[in-house]
Amino acid sequence: MANNLLTIVVPCYNEEEVLPETVKELGKILNDLIGQQKINANSKLLFVNDGSKDKTWQLIKQYSQKSQYITGIKFTRNYGHQNALLAGMSLAVKYSDMIITIDADLQDDVNAIYKMVDKYHEGFDVVYGVRNSRETDTFFKKHTALMYYKLMQKMGVNLVPDSADYRLLSKRATESLLSYKERNLFLRGMVPLIGYKSAKVYYPRKERYAGTSKYPLKKMIHFALDGITSFSIAPIHLILSLGIITTIVSIVLMIYTLVQKVMGHVVSGWSSLMISIWLLGGIQLISISTIGEYVGKVFTEVKHRPRFNIEEENYSIRMESKKK
């Protein structure tokens, strides 16, 4: 088979506990698809070591020496999940006809890969992995996620609800995605922008196989805010509206105060004064912080620093046969 070469990109950060099972599960999927002649026999698993502090990279190297279809790249330090995905796609797109991205924790059902490949053969360039329920989530996470998707929709950001970074992209779709040069990455918001024919594959999400989550609440909130400020200027408009409302309220209070003074009803207003100070102070701090977030993103973008630096990689060496 000359075409249909698949690379499965797996970002890894301190995944030594789950990696053996991940290699086993994804390796089985890869061999099954090769046996069914749906993908090229040179198809690969590409593990991206995102600055892990455990034995993740040593395990990747061991597996790559034992199995020809296992490859890997190592960052010089931790650059973050989104950059790890981008690095894997940037390398894989040189040789692959389709690329699937999936996390190493096995929460996303690997069996959905069969359906994704089938959708690719049906002519779809983008295939989203969408979870069919949120039963494994806590009450807080489930409802905040729903609120977040609704908020992003109202802000004009075209997200696929209940879809994260588990997806298939064709070669041309991947090349289009890589042409977006921003460094404030929010891939689940960027992929719908490329506009190619897309489909959805539904699957049940599982509990993490082993290890601990790499997305605690603080990191999830930062990621959510990054998504909002990377794709919408609605918060800036909200600040403008808030400023107008505050100004109108202040004018009304000023007129009310003057009327009370003329009528001789001057009463000590310590409480109302303190409330006003705190309210206006809070609004000002929120406004400055929001504007500062956008200024910070501009500051990051204009420096044009590299998104990541690779210390080691063996993918291109193993793929030389296809280049010939």
Side-chain angles (χ1 to χ4, degrees):
M1 296 175 65
N3 298 318
N4 299 329
L5 196 149
L6 167 67
T7 298
I8 301 177
V9 176
V10 188
C12 302
Y13 178 67
N14 295 338
E15 299 288 4
E16 65 174 349
E17 295 180 55
V18 73
L19 199 59
E21 187 65 20
T22 303
V23 169
K24 176 184 174 183
E25 292 286 334
L26 291 178
K28 179 181 180 299
I29 300 290
L30 211 61
N31 288 321
D32 284 349
L33 289 170
I34 292 172
Q36 296 170 19
Q37 296 187 344
K38 291 184 177 180
I39 62 174
N40 192 291
N42 286 322
S43 296
K44 305 291 179 182
L45 300 180
L46 174 57
F47 293 92
V48 183
N49 181 45
D50 185 22
S52 298
K53 298 177 181 178
D54 60 4
K55 297 179 181 179
T56 296
W57 180 242
Q58 289 90 323
L59 287 173
I60 293 171
K61 290 180 72 174
Q62 289 175 17
Y63 286 124
S64 66
Q65 291 168 1
K66 296 177 182 177
S67 303
Q68 186 177 356
Y69 64 85
I70 297 176
T71 60
I73 58 178
K74 179 186 179 184
F75 282 173
T76 56
R77 62 173 178 84
N78 178 254
Y79 284 93
H81 178 266
Q82 300 291 281
N83 282 312
L85 289 173
L86 200 73
M89 289 188 288
S90 299
L91 190 58
V93 75
K94 300 175 184 177
Y95 313 99
S96 307
D97 302 292
M98 50 182 140
I99 296 172
I100 290 177
T101 56
I102 184 173
D103 290 341
D105 56 19
L106 295 179
Q107 284 190 276
D108 296 318
D109 185 9
V110 296
N111 292 304
I113 292 175
Y114 294 114
K115 297 178 182 178
M116 289 182 175
V117 173
D118 287 340
K119 290 293 184 182
Y120 170 80
H121 286 298
E122 290 173 17
F124 293 96
D125 288 280
V126 181
V127 185
Y128 298 100
V130 182
R131 54 196 300 182
N132 56 16
S133 70
R134 286 189 168 268
E135 295 178 358
T136 58
D137 286 349
T138 62
F139 177 86
F140 174 78
K141 186 175 181 180
K142 182 190 299 183
H143 287 81
T144 51
L146 292 174
M147 289 173 59
Y148 178 69
Y149 283 120
K150 289 180 180 178
L151 177 63
M152 292 293 278
Q153 188 176 22
K154 289 184 177 180
M155 289 184 174
V157 183
N158 184 25
L159 290 182
V160 178
D162 296 323
S163 173
D165 291 304
Y166 186 24
R167 65 177 75 87
L168 178 148
L169 296 175
S170 67
K171 184 181 185 69
R172 66 175 181 173
T174 304
E175 288 173 342
S176 295
L177 178 63
L178 294 175
S179 69
Y180 290 74
K181 299 302 181 183
E182 59 253 46
R183 277 139 180 84
N184 297 292
L185 295 174
F186 187 64
L187 294 177
R188 65 188 68 178
M190 293 168 65
V191 172
L193 294 177
I194 62 180
Y196 286 108
K197 188 178 179 182
S198 65
K200 299 176 183 177
V201 168
Y202 294 90
Y203 67 93
R205 189 168 170 83
K206 307 173 184 178
E207 296 287 347
R208 185 181 176 88
Y209 180 81
T212 58
S213 173
K214 305 306 182 294
Y215 266 88
L217 180 60
K218 181 180 179 181
K219 199 169 183 178
M220 286 175 62
I221 292 173
H222 177 76
F223 186 64
L225 291 174
D226 202 38
I228 292 172
T229 53
S230 294
F231 279 84
S232 175
I233 59 171
I236 299 291
H237 294 158
L238 181 62
I239 289 173
L240 175 61
S241 301
L242 192 60
I244 293 171
I245 292 170
T246 305
T247 302
I248 293 172
V249 172
S250 300
I251 292 172
V252 171
L253 288 175
M254 182 180 66
I255 294 172
Y256 173 77
T257 303
L258 291 174
V259 170
Q260 290 295 312
K261 184 174 182 180
V262 171
M263 296 178 65
H265 299 156
V266 180
V267 182
S268 177
W270 183 85
S271 298
S272 60
L273 180 62
M274 291 302 295
I275 292 172
S276 299
I277 291 173
W278 281 100
L279 176 62
L280 292 174
I283 291 173
Q284 289 173 347
L285 287 174
I286 292 172
S287 301
I288 293 169
S289 298
T290 304
I291 295 171
E293 181 72 19
Y294 284 93
V295 173
K297 288 187 181 300
V298 174
F299 176 69
T300 302
E301 293 289 344
V302 299
K303 287 188 290 186
H304 298 294
R305 289 180 179 176
R307 291 162 169 162
F308 49 82
N309 290 311
I310 296 175
E311 184 176 335
E312 294 182 49
E313 61 99 351
N314 59 10
Y315 188 85
S316 59
I317 295 174
R318 292 189 177 276
M319 298 302 298
E320 278 183 350
S321 58
K322 187 172 192 313
K323 288 176 72 179
K324 295 177 183 178

